[in-house]
């Protein structure tokens, strides 16, 4: 019997619209991280870790072979936007940025990337989201146009 197998790990990064601090409340942020992990799991994209700070998210996950990157991200953003607006009516204006960055991660680098995501609060005492995202794009040799990255 033929099999289709896949072992593709990805590091997904996206921000709130205009990098607004919608997730400033620590409890709400942790609940959002858990909720995003649950959505990912439901889509058969096993989350390794979900983290971030008040204005952006990082997710390290194993992408399932039957879903495209774009469909995975679209559902993560859609479902979490609905959830937060229903959970807290002060978040009625909540939205994610349209774009995102997604980067491949080799199995040998999983622990390093997970630790990076786990230490987001400490990391962002010295570097804002834009600088962090530029560094990720540069590290992965991704060409980009700043006019379109910050929607």
């Amino acid at each position: 019997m033929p099999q289709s197998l896949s072992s593709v790990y990805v590091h997904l990064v996206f921000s709130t619209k205009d990098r607004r601090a919608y997730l400033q409340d620590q409890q709400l942020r942790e609940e959002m991280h858990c909720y995003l992990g649950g959505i990912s799991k439901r889509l058969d994209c096993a989350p390794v870790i979900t983290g971030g700070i008040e204005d952006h998210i990082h997710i390290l996950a194993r992408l399932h072979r039957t879903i495209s990157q774009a469909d995975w991200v679209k559902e993560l953003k859609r479902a979490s936007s609905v959830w937060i607006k229903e959970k807290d009516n002060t978040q009625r204006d909540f939205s994610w940025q349209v774009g995102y960055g997604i980067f491949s991660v080799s199995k040998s680098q999983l622990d390093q990337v997970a630790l990076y995501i786990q230490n987001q609060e400490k990391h962002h005492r010295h570097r804002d989201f834009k600088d962090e995202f530029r560094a990720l794009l540069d590290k992965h040799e991704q060409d980009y146009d700043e006019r379109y990255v910050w929607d």
Side-chain angles (χ1 to χ4, degrees):
M1 170 185 259
Q3 291 183 322
S4 298
L5 305 170
S6 175
S7 180
V8 177
Y9 288 89
V10 292
H11 176 190
L12 172 64
V13 183
F14 56 90
S15 76
T16 57
K17 182 73 174 170
D18 299 320
R19 279 134 328 273
R20 293 185 189 149
Y22 286 117
L23 302 173
Q24 196 163 22
D25 179 79
Q26 183 74 31
Q27 182 176 343
L28 181 62
R29 183 179 332 144
E30 289 173 6
E31 289 178 29
M32 175 63 83
H33 296 166
C34 289
Y35 194 77
L36 286 163
I39 297 165
S40 191
K41 189 174 182 178
R42 181 176 53 81
L43 296 170
D44 293 325
C45 296
V48 175
I49 187 171
T50 302
I53 60 170
E54 65 270 359
D55 65 352
H56 71 280
I57 295 292
H58 291 258
I59 302 173
L60 176 60
R62 184 174 181 168
L63 194 63
H64 195 268
R65 65 179 176 78
T66 61
I67 191 167
S68 71
Q69 295 174 5
D71 287 344
W72 177 58
V73 175
K74 180 180 177 181
E75 182 58 14
L76 287 168
K77 289 181 176 183
R78 185 202 66 75
S80 61
S81 291
V82 169
W83 171 81
I84 198 169
K85 289 174 184 178
E86 288 176 353
K87 177 173 181 48
D88 184 348
N89 61 3
T90 67
Q91 298 282 352
R92 281 177 261 168
D93 294 334
F94 180 91
S95 64
W96 297 114
Q97 74 173 119
V98 175
Y100 59 89
I102 193 165
F103 309 97
S104 62
V105 179
S106 68
K107 182 104 169 119
S108 65
Q109 296 297 307
L110 287 177
D111 289 343
Q112 183 178 348
V113 174
L115 186 61
Y116 175 79
I117 293 171
Q118 182 180 339
N119 290 322
Q120 280 292 293
E121 289 190 38
K122 180 179 176 186
H123 175 74
H124 282 288
R125 291 182 196 141
H126 309 289
R127 181 183 248 179
D128 71 6
F129 173 74
K130 285 185 175 185
D131 289 339
E132 175 189 43
F133 195 67
R134 283 184 198 104
L136 280 168
L137 292 168
D138 292 342
K139 178 180 179 180
H140 290 273
E141 299 179 0
Q142 178 64 56
D143 294 332
Y144 60 97
D145 185 332
E146 291 244 7
R147 294 176 297 174
Y148 306 109
V149 173
W150 313 119
D151 64 345

